[in-house]
């Protein structure tokens, strides 16, 4: 295990304890409300599912990936996502600009921050998408994707903690084999990750009535708790 990622139960190994056919595939709302929020508020949650790792440190993305996958079974190694908490770092001690270097490369932003909505249509956070880029090792360029989730401060008791930690999904992008120039003239890469996660996309919170009711209750309870602390 890498020094920047403290030894914890492997997040992918948790799938072994689930019933056959079940996988850890939370949507955006679940990641923010049920994992990042309790992490920032110091509450209990399933830490083995989303451990801490320094994604803006000295390790390259593939080194972090290998550290977490080296002891997995052949079936588990087919996974294409890793879930981590990581701490943001500014370029200067009192600055506001985030340092995006990782290893000898950089996490390059692909879009501006986008609001994440709960099933109740309330804003609960922001999401940005990044790709790994490295001028010294171009073979790894665009091979690694990362989604970074920031919780909306309104959901926290301590508003200042909202920007301390983020929840990230690191995804390995597979390269399809080019059979010949005639049979395959289009895109030479394909992104793993399921039917609803093409090109780095993540599943949205379901908007059917059952899901909406359950998640809305969760957010209302949270709001009542925050108001009682004021």
């Amino acid at each position: 295990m890498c020094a920047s990622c403290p030894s914890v139960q492997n997040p992918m190994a948790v799938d072994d304890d689930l019933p056959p056919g079940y996988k850890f595939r939370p949507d955006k709302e679940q990641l923010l409300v049920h994992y990042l929020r309790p992490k920032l508020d110091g509450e209990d949650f399933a830490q083995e599912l989303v451990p801490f790792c320094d994604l803006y440190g000295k390790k390259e993305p593939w080194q972090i990936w290998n550290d977490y996958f080296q002891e997995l079974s052949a079936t588990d190694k087919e996974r294409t996502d890793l879930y981590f908490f990581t701490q943001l770092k500014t370029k200067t001690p009192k600055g506001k600009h985030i340092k995006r270097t990782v290893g000898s490369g950089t996490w390059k932003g692909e879009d501006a921050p986008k609001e994440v909505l709960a099933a109740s249509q309330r804003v609960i956070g922001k999401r940005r998408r990044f790709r790994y880029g490295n001028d010294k090792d171009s073979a790894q360029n665009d091979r690694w994707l990362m989604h970074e989730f920031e919780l909306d401060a309104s959901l926290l008791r301590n508003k200042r903690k909202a920007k301390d930690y983020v929840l990230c999904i690191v995804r390995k992008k597979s390269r399809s084999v080019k059979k010949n120039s005639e049979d395959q003239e289009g895109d030479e890469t394909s992104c793993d990750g399921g039917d609803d996660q093409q090109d780095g996309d993540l599943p949205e919170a379901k908007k059917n009535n059952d899901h909406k009711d359950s998640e809305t209750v969760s957010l209302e309870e949270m709001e009542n708790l925050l108001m009682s602390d004021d």
Side-chain angles (χ1 to χ4, degrees):
M1 190 69 63
C2 62
S4 59
C5 307
S7 179
V8 296
Q9 181 180 350
N10 193 296
M12 301 300 103
V14 175
D15 284 345
D16 293 337
D17 299 327
L18 297 175
Y22 282 79
K23 297 293 182 182
F24 184 62
R25 291 276 302 275
D27 60 35
K28 300 172 185 178
E29 179 176 357
Q30 292 166 341
L31 287 173
L32 287 166
V33 174
H34 299 292
Y35 293 94
L36 185 53
R37 186 196 62 80
K39 165 70 175 178
L40 294 173
D41 266 345
E43 298 177 1
D44 291 333
F45 67 99
Q47 298 185 38
E48 68 276 7
L49 291 172
V50 186
F52 174 85
C53 187
D54 188 358
L55 299 178
Y56 294 108
K58 296 181 179 180
K59 288 282 187 177
E60 303 286 0
W62 57 92
Q63 293 174 321
I64 295 173
W65 189 271
N66 291 337
D67 284 340
Y68 276 86
F69 270 73
Q70 60 185 352
E71 298 181 359
L72 297 184
S73 66
T75 302
D76 286 330
K77 288 181 179 179
E78 296 177 359
R79 292 185 61 99
T80 56
D81 291 343
L82 289 176
Y83 297 80
F84 295 113
F85 294 116
T86 198
Q87 189 169 16
L88 297 179
K89 305 173 183 178
T90 56
K91 294 183 178 180
T92 59
K94 296 183 179 181
K96 295 182 179 180
H97 296 288
I98 302 300
K99 185 179 180 181
R100 299 292 181 183
T101 56
V102 54
S104 59
T106 304
W107 289 115
K108 298 183 177 181
E110 286 199 311
D111 54 10
K114 295 182 178 180
E115 292 182 341
V116 178
L117 301 179
S120 60
Q121 299 305 298
R122 173 180 175 174
V123 176
I124 57 175
K126 296 179 180 179
R127 191 272 301 168
R128 285 195 68 186
R129 189 169 66 181
F130 298 84
R131 287 181 185 266
Y132 177 80
N134 190 333
D135 295 335
K136 298 179 180 179
D137 190 357
S138 59
Q140 296 290 342
N141 284 347
D142 299 332
R143 188 78 191 277
W144 303 93
L145 309 178
M146 184 175 74
H147 290 261
E148 182 185 274
F149 291 86
E150 176 185 325
L151 189 70
D152 190 87
S154 66
L155 298 180
L156 291 173
R157 293 191 186 94
N158 187 340
K159 314 301 182 186
R160 296 181 179 179
K161 288 187 176 182
K163 295 184 180 296
D164 287 353
Y165 288 88
V166 291
L167 192 157
C168 296
I169 300 177
V170 177
R171 175 169 298 156
K172 183 179 181 180
K173 186 174 181 180
S174 66
R175 299 181 184 276
S176 59
V177 179
K178 187 174 181 180
K179 297 179 179 180
N180 56 62
S181 58
E182 294 181 358
D183 294 340
Q184 191 172 358
E185 296 179 354
D187 188 5
E188 296 181 14
T189 64
S190 62
C191 184
D192 294 329
D195 296 337
D196 52 3
Q197 300 186 21
Q198 295 179 359
D199 197 25
D201 241 349
L202 296 176
E204 298 281 356
K206 296 179 181 178
K207 296 182 180 180
N208 59 56
N209 292 333
D210 292 339
H211 179 90
K212 182 176 181 179
D213 290 343
S214 62
E215 294 300 331
T216 301
V217 170
S218 175
L219 290 172
E220 288 177 349
E221 291 175 347
M222 193 185 313
E223 289 173 345
N224 293 334
L225 179 61
L226 292 172
M227 291 176 65
S228 66
D229 290 340
D230 293 339

